[in-house]
């Protein structure tokens, strides 16, 4: 039985090379108004992998999913232009969006994956704005599905998926059965540029709209952000002449 | 004022759209004010006292487009396409543009990638292998590509507007399949041979001759300043078939390259757009089948002029891209460079320059978009295209010049791209109709409007 549909779950993030990200004056978070947003780079890699699997005829349908305010539909359209078949936009806005964290997102993705009977859920390994690296793992746990995280190579072998994972010690190869959750790492592939004809076709593809309540997910956050601060400004260093001086200085300021 | 406009639109019967082919553009226009051609007397015309019928359409175009000037954003599809081209330009062209310029390298790999994206044949219908988009999309694509690399933008523009353009408009179905489809993928590019050593602006004085010998045309003569010549696989070439008819005796031909009887002169050593090849095309008893004539005999001048009309929007877009790149470079530098204890962006002298550059670019951009939208709406666009090319090319040279000034000494060296933008910008005031010719075209069109 070849897998029917694959869900690619996308995240909309602050653009990483935007020169100035500022902390809000009340230290409750980071200023997001007027800052350019785009698809998370790891999610681009996830979309590319899903589209590649479809081109190799391992899967029939790729669905792009994302949670957030209306801005998020642009991200879904980009995924459609890269080759996904349809999109689902789970609308979360305002206070709910600010409080939304990996657990809430994972609950939504899990509920959707179950509802749509997905065989594979592919995500980027982490979002570059919060670097949580939790959503994929939580989704797998909620669904009680096997997970192949930090994937640098994915091969579908009948009913199983062979995943080569990038771990601290090197590369680990695992075989997991489907349905499964995968998270994409940097070296999995190089995302394609959407072609102009595909951008035209993306306009006609459907993006379904729903709310977390429709999926029976409660968006209440169990995490309260107490304070957000900028990293301390880097202080000038001190040059020393000899190793003895270095040891003396380190002893003096209590480091050793 | 706007309220009165809106109430009139509601009053009128459903707009007669001249073209059914448009998707995003007309829909987008409908959101502001629909451009419609109203036949006969109507309340609007009476209200504003326009009497001349050509001015009716033009007046509506102007007023309809006045609201376009307040457009907040482009249609979604165009935004996506623009972003895609921008990403490509930033990631793939920006890093190598300096090298391409220094070493005079044709960006073959990038042209193939752009072909795969559909950028080498934006307006060509999908059935023939193109992207099937409108001219506004093409203009945006060329602008973004040129922002990354002016030479690559030139290659894209010449292939789309000057080579594919006339074949798409005047070719037979067989000619389109033979001469357009292989040129949509980026594997092959085409060129356009109109200018000669003896005439540039004076296009009607073509001295390249074509005589019929049995089932063939035999071409003799020399063409000068042909962009893409050394990298092209085909050319649209203009030759005189009937000298007595003067400019009505010029015809257009399709010639594959290489071809016996067609040779290339030496590559010109240019000031800018150095990654493109520019050379003479020398025809010595170059024989081509009769079926290689494009359009009808004697229509060559008309084909050339109409092609250049559209090509102007492409070159305007290229100039915009170069101007924008120059502005980006200067504005970025103004933040970083400190003098007199603060970033130089704090100094009014620098601020005024940046403001002037931004106004020049943005106004030229709106003119270019308007010309493209008029073309897409199948409305007359000759005057607007000439205005766009004039404004954009002068904006490009202005921004290139001021960008070097803002960068000071750094602007003069090859470490920063400012000097390359300055050099790349210069040609945009010359090719596809010099700024002087553009002024003549604009004045001609303008005076026609006021003729009683």
């Amino acid at each position: 039985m070849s897998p029917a549909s694959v869900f690619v779950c996308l995240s909309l993030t602050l653009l990483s090379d935007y020169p100035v990200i500022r902390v809000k004056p009340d230290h409750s978070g980071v200023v997001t108004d007027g800052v350019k947003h785009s698809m998370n780079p790891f999610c681009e890699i996830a979309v590319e992998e899903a589209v590649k699997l479809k081109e190799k005829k391992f899967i029939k349908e790729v669905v792009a999913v994302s949670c957030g305010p209306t801005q998020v539909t642009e991200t879904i359209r980009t995924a459609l232009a890269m080759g996904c078949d349809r999109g689902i936009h789970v609308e979360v806005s305002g206070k709910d969006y600010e409080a939304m964290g990996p657990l809430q997102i994972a609950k939504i993705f899990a509920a959707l994956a179950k509802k749509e009977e997905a065989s594979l859920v592919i995500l980027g390994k982490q979002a570059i704005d919060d670097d949580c690296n939790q959503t994929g793992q939580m989704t797998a746990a909620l669904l009680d599905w096997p997970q192949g995280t930090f994937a640098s190579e994915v091969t579908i072998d009948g009913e199983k998926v062979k995943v080569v994972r990038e771990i601290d010690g090197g590369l680990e190869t695992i075989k997991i059965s489907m349905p499964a959750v995968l998270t994409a790492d940097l070296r999995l592939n190089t995302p394609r540029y959407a072609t102009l004809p595909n951008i035209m076709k993306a306009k006609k593809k459907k993006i379904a709209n729903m709310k977390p309540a429709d999926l029976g997910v409660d968006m209440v956050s169990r995490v309260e952000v107490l304070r957000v601060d900028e990293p301390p400004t880097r202080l000038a260093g001190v040059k020393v002449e000899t190793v003895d001086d270095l040891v003396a200085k380190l002893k003096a300021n209590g480091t050793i | 004022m706007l309220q009165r406009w809106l109430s009139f639109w509601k009053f009128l019967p459903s707009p007669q759209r001249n073209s059914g082919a448009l998707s995003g553009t007309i829909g987008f226009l409908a959101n502001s004010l629909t451009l419609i051609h109203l036949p006969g007397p109507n309340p609007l015309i009476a209200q504003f006292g326009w009497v001349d019928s050509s001015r009716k359409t033009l007046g509506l175009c102007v007023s309809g487009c006045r609201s376009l000037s307040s457009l907040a954003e482009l249609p979604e599809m165009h935004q996506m396409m623009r972003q895609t081209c921008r990403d490509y330009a930033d990631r793939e062209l920006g890093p190598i543009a300096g090298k391409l310029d220094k070493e005079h390298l044709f960006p073959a790999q990038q042209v193939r990638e752009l072909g795969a994206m559909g950028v080498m044949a934006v307006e060509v219908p999908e059935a023939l292998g193109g992207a099937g988009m409108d001219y506004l999309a093409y203009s945006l694509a060329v602008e973004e590509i040129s922002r990354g690399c002016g030479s690559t933008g030139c290659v894209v523009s010449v292939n789309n507007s000057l080579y594919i353009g006339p074949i798409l408009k005047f070719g037979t179905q067989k000619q389109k399949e033979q001469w357009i489809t292989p040129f949509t993928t980026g594997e092959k590019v085409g060129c356009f041979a109109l200018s000669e050593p003896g005439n540039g602006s004076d296009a009607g004085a073509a001295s390249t001759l074509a005589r019929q010998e049995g089932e063939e045309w035999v071409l003799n003569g020399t063409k000068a300043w042909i962009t893409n010549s050394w990298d092209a696989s085909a050319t649209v070439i203009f030759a005189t078939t009937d000298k007595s008819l003067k400019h009505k005796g010029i015809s257009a031909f399709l010639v594959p390259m290489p071809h016996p009887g067609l040779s290339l002169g030496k590559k010109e050593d240019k000031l800018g757009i150095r990654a493109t090849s520019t050379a003479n095309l020398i025809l010595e008893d170059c024989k081509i089948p009769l079926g290689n004539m494009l359009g009808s005999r004697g229509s060559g001048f008309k084909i050339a002029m109409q092609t250049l009309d559209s090509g102007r929007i492409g070159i305007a877009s290229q100039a915009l891209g170069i101007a924008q790149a120059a502005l980006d470079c200067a504005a970025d530098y103004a933040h970083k460079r400190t003098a007199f204890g603060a970033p130089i962006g704090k100094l009014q002298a620098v601020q005024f320059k940046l403001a002037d550059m931004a106004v020049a670019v943005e106004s030229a951009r709106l003119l270019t978009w308007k010309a493209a939208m008029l073309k897409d709406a199948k409305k007359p666009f000759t005057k607007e295209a000439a205005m766009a090319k004039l404004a954009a090319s002068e904006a490009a040279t202005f921004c290139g010049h001021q960008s070097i000034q803002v960068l000071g000494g750094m602007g003069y060296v090859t470490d920063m791209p400012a000097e390359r933008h300055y050099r790349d910008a210069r040609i945009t005031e010359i090719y596809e109709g010099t700024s002087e010719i553009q002024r003549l075209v604009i004045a001609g069109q303008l005076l026609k409007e006021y003729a009683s």
Side-chain angles (χ1 to χ4, degrees):
Chain A
M1 181 201 82
S2 77
S5 69
V6 167
F7 266 41
V8 184
C9 300
L10 311 173
S11 155
L12 182 72
T13 60
L14 299 172
L15 203 57
S16 63
D17 51 31
Y18 192 85
V20 187
I21 304 286
R22 294 217 152 83
V23 172
K24 282 192 200 159
D26 61 0
H27 293 274
S28 63
V30 154
V31 175
T32 55
D33 284 334
V35 178
K36 191 160 186 272
H37 286 66
S38 69
M39 195 193 297
N40 185 34
F42 293 110
C43 298
E44 278 180 26
I45 299 175
V47 173
E48 175 65 21
E49 196 57 29
V51 173
K52 269 208 173 90
L53 288 173
K54 184 176 131 186
E55 285 171 350
K56 289 189 206 154
K57 305 248 193 298
F58 284 116
I59 54 175
K60 286 215 205 90
E61 186 191 39
V62 181
V63 184
V65 183
S66 197
C67 315
T70 12
Q71 244 183 326
V72 147
T73 38
E74 285 170 32
T75 320
I76 302 179
R77 282 250 180 256
T78 314
L80 293 176
M82 283 171 76
C84 298
D85 298 294
R86 59 185 170 94
I88 301 179
H89 171 210
V90 181
E91 222 179 300
V92 181
S93 44
K95 280 262 156 274
D96 276 344
Y97 183 60
E98 285 176 33
M100 188 171 82
L103 181 59
Q104 288 73 32
I105 304 176
K107 283 183 186 170
I108 295 176
F109 288 161
L112 264 174
K114 249 198 271 198
K115 181 162 171 275
E116 301 264 345
E117 292 174 6
S119 347
L120 265 183
V121 174
I122 313 183
L123 306 93
K125 72 171 179 183
Q126 64 199 56
I128 57 172
D129 52 9
D130 57 20
D131 277 340
C132 282
N133 196 328
Q134 298 166 11
T135 314
Q137 291 84 340
M138 284 178 174
T139 313
L142 287 167
L143 287 164
D144 199 22
W145 287 2
Q147 53 182 272
T149 52
F150 307 99
S152 69
E153 210 186 296
V154 169
T155 343
I156 297 197
D157 188 6
E159 283 292 305
K160 295 206 183 265
V161 187
K162 190 178 95 171
V163 183
V164 177
R165 303 178 60 229
E166 290 198 13
I167 58 173
D168 288 344
L171 297 171
E172 179 194 57
T173 311
I174 59 171
K175 223 174 200 175
I176 53 178
S177 46
M178 290 198 277
V181 173
L182 306 173
T183 68
D185 205 330
L186 189 62
R187 280 158 282 270
L188 181 57
N189 59 51
T190 314
R192 64 191 62 189
Y193 292 99
T195 65
L196 269 49
N198 280 348
I199 293 177
M200 296 261 296
K201 289 191 191 117
K203 231 173 62 122
K204 300 196 190 100
K205 294 181 183 171
K206 281 183 152 325
I207 299 184
N209 215 303
M210 52 180 76
K211 294 217 151 53
D214 300 338
L215 298 161
V217 171
D218 89 85
M219 293 298 287
V220 172
S221 178
R222 271 79 173 164
V223 171
E224 189 194 330
V225 174
L226 295 174
R227 201 185 152 87
V228 175
D229 281 309
E230 280 174 22
T233 40
R234 206 171 156 188
L235 297 164
V238 177
K239 259 192 174 156
V240 291
E241 296 294 312
T242 69
V243 178
D244 292 322
D245 282 345
L246 176 63
V247 173
K249 276 227 152 55
L250 287 172
K251 274 197 180 144
N253 76 15
T255 316
I256 47 169
Chain B
M1 172 71 174
L2 186 62
Q3 288 301 93
R4 289 183 99 174
W5 276 109
L6 290 173
S7 63
F8 275 125
W9 295 128
K10 278 190 223 132
F11 177 82
L12 293 163
S14 60
Q16 297 151 51
R17 300 205 165 119
N18 289 344
S19 147
L22 307 170
S23 48
T25 315
I26 275 287
F28 154 73
L29 288 171
N31 289 336
S32 48
L33 284 175
T34 314
L35 289 181
I36 57 177
H37 184 174
L38 297 173
N42 66 75
L44 247 77
I45 305 301
Q47 172 78 19
F48 294 93
W50 298 317
V51 283
D52 180 58
S53 69
S54 66
R55 286 191 67 198
K56 227 192 282 181
T57 321
L58 285 161
L60 281 166
C61 285
V62 165
S63 52
C65 289
R66 216 175 275 141
S67 70
L68 279 171
S69 303
S70 66
L71 63 87
E73 44 184 40
L74 293 162
E76 193 190 342
M77 193 172 72
H78 290 76
Q79 282 188 46
M80 275 182 68
M81 195 227 69
R82 194 185 195 193
Q83 188 60 45
T84 305
C85 291
R86 183 174 288 205
D87 287 340
Y88 185 84
D90 286 341
R91 291 178 207 164
E92 311 286 340
L93 293 173
I96 59 165
K99 177 163 180 256
L100 292 176
D101 171 72
K102 257 199 186 95
E103 297 175 24
H104 300 232
L105 293 169
F106 179 76
Q109 162 78 358
Q110 285 68 33
V111 166
R112 271 197 296 273
E113 286 169 4
L114 287 168
M117 283 166 71
V119 172
M120 296 305 285
V122 182
E123 231 198 341
V124 174
E126 281 191 67
L128 286 167
M133 295 182 96
D134 57 17
Y135 221 72
L136 178 62
Y138 163 64
S139 169
L140 294 166
V142 173
E143 187 188 331
E144 293 303 328
I145 299 298
S146 302
R147 212 168 127 265
C149 172
S151 306
T152 311
C154 177
V155 174
V156 172
S157 179
V158 167
N159 197 56
N160 268 283
S161 302
L162 296 186
Y163 173 70
I164 289 180
I167 307 175
L168 198 58
K169 199 159 178 199
F170 299 97
T172 61
Q173 184 58 28
K174 195 157 161 275
Q175 281 174 334
K176 288 181 196 176
E177 285 165 16
Q178 188 187 350
W179 299 91
I180 295 183
T181 308
F183 292 77
T184 58
T185 58
E187 291 293 326
K188 296 188 181 184
V189 295
C191 62
F192 178 85
L194 177 66
S195 293
E196 296 175 1
N199 57 272
S201 293
D202 187 10
S207 62
T208 304
L209 294 170
R211 64 172 193 280
Q212 189 175 349
E213 264 180 18
E215 295 299 306
E216 290 178 321
W217 287 106
V218 182
L219 275 63
N220 274 289
T222 315
K223 292 292 184 185
W225 313 120
I226 308 307
T227 308
N228 279 351
S229 39
W230 277 79
D231 308 291
S233 302
T235 177
V236 174
I237 201 162
F238 295 86
T240 301
T241 35
D242 300 286
K243 203 149 179 112
S244 54
L245 297 173
K246 300 240 184 77
H247 69 264
K248 290 217 172 99
I250 300 176
S251 309
F253 299 91
L254 296 163
V255 183
M257 289 162 77
H259 194 71
L262 180 91
S263 54
L264 297 170
K266 76 164 190 6
K267 275 196 208 180
E268 303 289 351
D269 188 8
K270 305 192 291 286
L271 175 68
I273 56 162
R274 288 154 82 127
T276 65
S277 54
T278 305
N280 284 7
L281 250 61
I282 301 147
L283 301 151
E284 289 164 313
D285 281 343
C286 178
K287 298 191 169 89
I288 49 171
L290 284 183
N292 281 30
M293 177 177 271
L294 181 66
S296 58
R297 184 169 178 150
S299 63
F301 188 76
K302 185 186 84 169
I303 294 176
M305 291 303 110
Q306 288 192 23
T307 304
L308 289 172
D309 263 354
S310 324
R312 266 160 210 164
I313 302 176
I315 295 304
S317 310
Q318 183 203 5
L320 282 176
I322 298 171
Q324 186 65 47
L327 174 57
D328 290 344
C329 180
D332 189 59
Y333 194 77
H335 265 302
K336 295 184 174 146
R337 170 74 176 172
T338 51
F340 302 100
I344 58 171
K346 294 262 184 244
L347 301 165
Q348 272 191 352
V350 172
Q351 287 177 353
F352 284 1
K353 282 189 203 301
L354 294 173
D356 288 340
M357 286 161 80
V359 169
V361 173
E362 194 61 31
S363 37
R365 183 175 288 134
L366 288 174
L367 264 173
T368 310
W369 286 3
K370 176 171 170 179
M373 288 177 181
L374 283 172
K375 180 176 192 289
D376 286 331
K378 304 231 191 318
K379 299 260 185 274
F381 65 96
T382 306
K383 184 182 77 164
E384 286 75 12
M387 290 166 99
K389 201 253 181 191
L390 178 63
S393 53
E394 294 193 342
T397 47
F398 175 72
C399 289
H401 184 111
Q402 294 302 330
S403 173
I404 294 187
Q405 199 64 17
V406 169
L407 267 65
M410 274 316 279
Y412 204 64
V413 295
T414 54
D415 297 11
M416 293 293 274
E419 58 84 29
R420 193 183 77 239
H421 299 319
Y422 181 76
R423 290 184 290 105
D424 283 348
R426 196 60 191 84
I427 189 64
T428 60
E429 280 198 55
I430 299 171
Y431 65 4
E432 274 189 63
T434 56
S435 294
E436 290 69 33
I437 292 291
Q438 304 306 333
R439 289 185 164 90
L440 290 179
V441 171
I442 296 167
Q445 294 288 318
L446 198 62
L447 289 168
K448 237 196 279 185
E449 287 168 33
Y450 285 87
S452 48

